[in-house]
Amino acid sequence: MTVYESDLPGVGKKYEIELEDGERLVVVTHNTGKREVFLKPEADADSDKLFELSDRLARTVGTILEGAYFQPVETERVETLLTEGTYIEWYSVASDGELAGQTIGDARIREETGVSIIAIQRDDEVITPPTPETRIEVGDTLVVVGSREDCKEFEKRLGSSDEQ
Amino acid sequence: MATETALVDVGVLFGAVALAGLVANRIDQSVIPFYILVGMGLGPHVLGRLDFPALLGTDAVPHGSSLALAETDFVALGAELGIVFLLLFLGLEFNVDRLLAARDRIGRAGVVDLVVNFGVGLVVGYALFRAFLPAFLVAGVVYISSSAIITKSLIDLGWIANDEANPMLGTLVFEDLVIAVYLSIAAALVLGGGSVGEAARSIGLAMAFLLGLSLLVYFGTALFQRSLDTDSNEFVVLRAVGITALIAGGALALGVSEAVAAFFVGMAFSSTDHVHELERLLEPVRDTFAAVFFFWIGLVTDPTLFAGVASLVAIAALVTTPTKLASGYLGGRIYDLDARRSTRVALGMVTRGEFSLIIASIALTGAGEGLPEDVANTIYAFAVGYVLVMSILGTSLMQYSSPIESRVVPWLESDGTV
């Protein structure tokens, strides 16, 4: 597959994408953000306009084509209320956190923050329940139970990029 | 004109322009000739000479010159802003890196276009006026194709996605660069009072100013970048308009073309991250004032002068349509296009528009200074008539390209030019 890119001074940019059996898809991105999509039956044929999209719509459609649109909505953190005042939270372990590489026992998590780690998801495997000897690794997702304050305290020890 | 009528005059202006745009759109024509015609119709030369109450049999309607729109300060200044924004956009689009990347083909197609059309313009102009400066102005008028009309037609016809768009837009960019230099020289010559020394002095001043601006553009990217760093659309528009109007106005105060100064400001903005944002936000501002410019062109044009220049316009149209067709066809060939697509490039480049009118307005400012008054008026009327003819002819040629192609292309191919 080849994509030809060319400048259209005063208009924007043109992308020509070779499809199978010699057809070409032409996308004209206007400086205003508008996208026009054309189809050419062959390289030197005239183009037929298929449709046009606004900037925002084009991005949405593009994401759907990319197959990425229906991934979970990203929130700052996943938070579930177990009972009044008790939360189950999911944290991922970043490389710069102080916990990475320590065992749960050595990190004295329960003693210092008050939360319990009830499960660790590591790749496809779920370690539940983890023991004091279980080592926390970079990339782990920790499932934690505790009060809101305790969870915040725990979050601090995870390091900067602790959101999932 | 009296202040109490000013707002309603502005209302009539924009209302008439909006209506003209609607009509032009309905019949698939470019808006520019319609803006000019409506300006002419409402101006002192047409409406001002008609005695409406006499036609209606009543005195209740004001008549003659009191009904017609006059060239008020607002219109003149709005037209000037129109020129400034047209050229600002040219600068915004004009990216040195992109031009250099395609310099080989753009350069060859552009030089062919320049030599053929400007050259023919000089010859025609000299034959008609027997003097260098009028010939130089006529050459500019017939050389420069209309970026605005051609680009819009390209998009409307869907040619923008085809291969013919590249040589057309490339040649337009080349022309735009030439016209920036040309305008500064023309303005200096026209305002130079006619004497060689005076002209040399004003060209020197213009060049020095442009050199200063180029240095500012070259070294001042960070400055321009910072000047537009804000989240507010309002501030971006105000700052961009403020900087542009200030520099263009300053240039004019020094006797340098405001249009060229605006072009350089556009170039400075084009190297910042804000270029697309500016294009999006300033486009309506440009279109508003450009409409005032075309309206003003009509307003100050006396259509009875067309009778005097009709033969000039006819000669110029007859000579310069084939030359544009030829240079356009060659341009397409330089881009390795086949006969059919090269024919389209040829048909597409015929349209003349806004820049020819800017040259006309320069000629008008020189009336009685660098140019004898009657010559200036003749060139002005010629340019307006020529643009009216060529903009309608050019857009029509593009619209009816397929019947033309089907006749011309077999002939071109059999002629061994393939």
Side-chain angles (χ1 to χ4, degrees):
Chain A
M1 183 191 71
T2 316
V3 179
Y4 303 91
E5 183 193 320
S6 55
D7 275 308
L8 302 172
V11 180
K13 268 185 184 292
K14 180 170 79 174
Y15 301 90
E16 255 185 86
I17 303 125
E18 271 182 3
L19 304 178
E20 283 153 25
D21 58 39
E23 282 189 325
R24 286 186 181 206
L25 198 66
V26 184
V27 179
V28 175
T29 305
H30 291 250
N31 290 333
T32 55
K34 184 174 84 173
R35 320 281 207 282
E36 283 184 294
V37 182
F38 300 82
L39 187 68
K40 291 206 282 193
E42 56 194 15
D44 52 358
D46 283 338
S47 33
D48 290 319
K49 183 163 161 178
L50 298 177
F51 55 87
E52 66 177 63
L53 299 167
S54 69
D55 187 33
R56 239 186 72 171
L57 214 50
R59 285 171 199 277
T60 310
V61 172
T63 324
I64 291 174
L65 292 177
E66 211 174 31
Y69 191 65
F70 290 109
Q71 284 186 353
V73 180
E74 236 182 283
T75 54
E76 285 241 320
R77 75 190 161 185
V78 185
E79 189 175 75
T80 311
L81 194 60
L82 195 63
T83 59
E84 189 74 35
T86 307
Y87 292 82
I88 303 180
E89 293 199 4
W90 282 255
Y91 295 107
S92 55
V93 179
S95 54
D96 58 349
E98 54 172 299
L99 287 179
Q102 296 191 53
T103 63
I104 294 177
D106 288 348
R108 299 170 56 81
I109 288 167
R110 174 137 189 89
E111 292 85 337
E112 290 187 3
T113 66
V115 302
S116 304
I117 299 176
I118 56 170
I120 297 175
Q121 191 191 350
R122 180 172 300 159
D123 302 322
D124 292 335
E125 173 195 8
V126 177
I127 305 163
T128 179
T131 62
E133 288 75 40
T134 307
R135 198 170 288 280
I136 298 171
E137 291 178 7
V138 174
D140 283 357
T141 301
L142 309 178
V143 185
V144 165
V145 174
S147 71
R148 164 146 258 168
E149 289 70 40
D150 293 347
C151 287
K152 276 193 181 146
E153 192 54 40
F154 177 71
E155 200 176 334
K156 279 185 201 153
R157 298 195 55 191
L158 267 177
S160 57
S161 44
D162 49 10
E163 289 114 23
Q164 172 154 337
Chain B
M1 176 152 277
T3 43
E4 61 259 48
T5 57
L7 185 59
V8 76
D9 283 349
V10 174
V12 170
L13 188 167
F14 281 112
V17 163
L19 203 64
L22 185 76
V23 172
N25 222 9
R26 277 282 161 80
I27 57 174
D28 272 342
Q29 281 291 341
S30 159
V31 291
I32 292 176
F34 287 79
Y35 291 166
I36 300 171
L37 288 175
V38 79
M40 221 182 287
L42 291 177
H45 301 295
V46 176
L47 192 58
R49 282 178 191 156
L50 291 176
D51 200 358
F52 253 116
L55 297 173
L56 295 170
T58 167
D59 278 338
V61 184
H63 59 98
S65 52
S66 61
L67 187 65
L69 293 189
E71 187 202 2
T72 56
D73 279 355
F74 175 84
V75 181
L77 212 56
E80 197 136 48
L81 282 170
I83 297 177
V84 164
F85 285 118
L86 282 170
L87 267 293
L88 173 75
F89 261 71
L90 219 56
L92 278 180
E93 294 297 349
F94 181 79
N95 185 311
V96 182
D97 298 334
R98 290 194 307 206
L99 190 71
L100 287 180
R103 64 178 177 276
D104 185 39
R105 283 170 160 183
I106 289 185
R108 276 193 290 156
V111 166
V112 168
D113 175 48
L114 175 67
V115 169
V116 171
N117 294 292
F118 200 86
V120 165
L122 274 180
V123 172
V124 171
Y126 196 83
L128 297 173
F129 291 98
R130 300 272 157 208
F132 171 72
L133 187 51
F136 185 68
L137 293 172
V138 169
V141 169
V142 303
Y143 161 61
I144 181 95
S145 300
S146 168
S147 300
I149 302 179
I150 294 174
T151 306
K152 185 166 184 305
S153 301
L154 277 179
I155 296 171
D156 289 348
L157 293 170
W159 290 9
I160 194 78
N162 294 340
D163 293 337
E164 58 265 24
N166 293 5
M168 293 173 72
L169 293 171
T171 309
L172 287 177
V173 167
F174 186 93
E175 288 188 356
D176 296 343
L177 183 63
V178 171
I179 215 66
V181 178
Y182 172 90
L183 283 179
S184 61
I185 296 174
L189 286 175
V190 164
L191 298 174
S195 81
V196 176
E198 188 70 18
R201 207 182 65 84
S202 42
I203 290 180
L205 182 69
M207 290 303 158
F209 188 83
L210 293 184
L211 186 68
L213 271 181
S214 333
L215 291 176
L216 185 68
V217 167
Y218 190 74
F219 292 108
T221 307
L223 197 71
F224 281 97
Q225 174 75 33
R226 243 198 345 270
S227 71
L228 296 176
D229 281 339
T230 159
D231 290 335
S232 153
N233 282 348
E234 175 185 353
F235 290 164
V236 172
V237 171
L238 288 179
R239 290 176 193 183
V241 171
I243 292 169
T244 309
L246 205 57
I247 294 182
L252 198 61
L254 286 172
V256 179
S257 160
E258 77 279 28
V260 179
F263 177 79
F264 275 84
V265 176
M267 264 173 70
F269 283 145
S270 79
S271 50
T272 68
D273 300 337
H274 299 285
V275 54
H276 291 325
E277 191 185 0
L278 281 177
E279 279 168 347
R280 185 171 54 83
L281 293 172
L282 291 184
E283 203 183 355
V285 180
R286 175 199 64 183
D287 291 343
T288 305
F289 287 106
V292 177
F293 169 65
F294 298 125
F295 187 90
W296 170 79
I297 287 282
L299 207 59
V300 297
T301 303
D302 183 353
T304 56
L305 287 180
F306 285 158
V309 296
S311 53
L312 297 191
V313 173
I315 293 171
L318 281 176
V319 174
T320 62
T321 304
T323 56
K324 264 290 177 194
L325 287 171
S327 63
Y329 187 82
L330 287 173
R333 284 307 203 182
I334 288 169
Y335 273 72
D336 292 330
L337 301 185
D338 61 26
R340 191 163 65 93
R341 296 210 181 277
S342 300
T343 305
R344 281 198 195 165
V345 177
L347 296 173
M349 298 303 290
V350 168
T351 310
R352 318 295 207 281
E354 63 278 18
F355 302 116
S356 302
L357 294 175
I358 291 175
I359 298 171
S361 73
I362 286 182
L364 203 61
T365 57
E369 288 188 55
L371 284 170
E373 204 150 328
D374 57 329
V375 174
N377 285 329
T378 308
I379 292 179
Y380 181 84
F382 159 75
V384 176
Y386 179 75
V387 166
L388 285 175
V389 171
M390 298 310 278
S391 56
I392 291 175
L393 177 68
T395 37
S396 304
L397 285 176
M398 282 178 91
Q399 271 170 6
Y400 297 107
S401 74
S402 39
I404 300 174
E405 283 165 37
S406 57
R407 279 165 181 257
V408 170
V409 172
W411 175 76
L412 283 169
E413 281 173 345
S414 68
D415 207 31
T417 43
V418 171

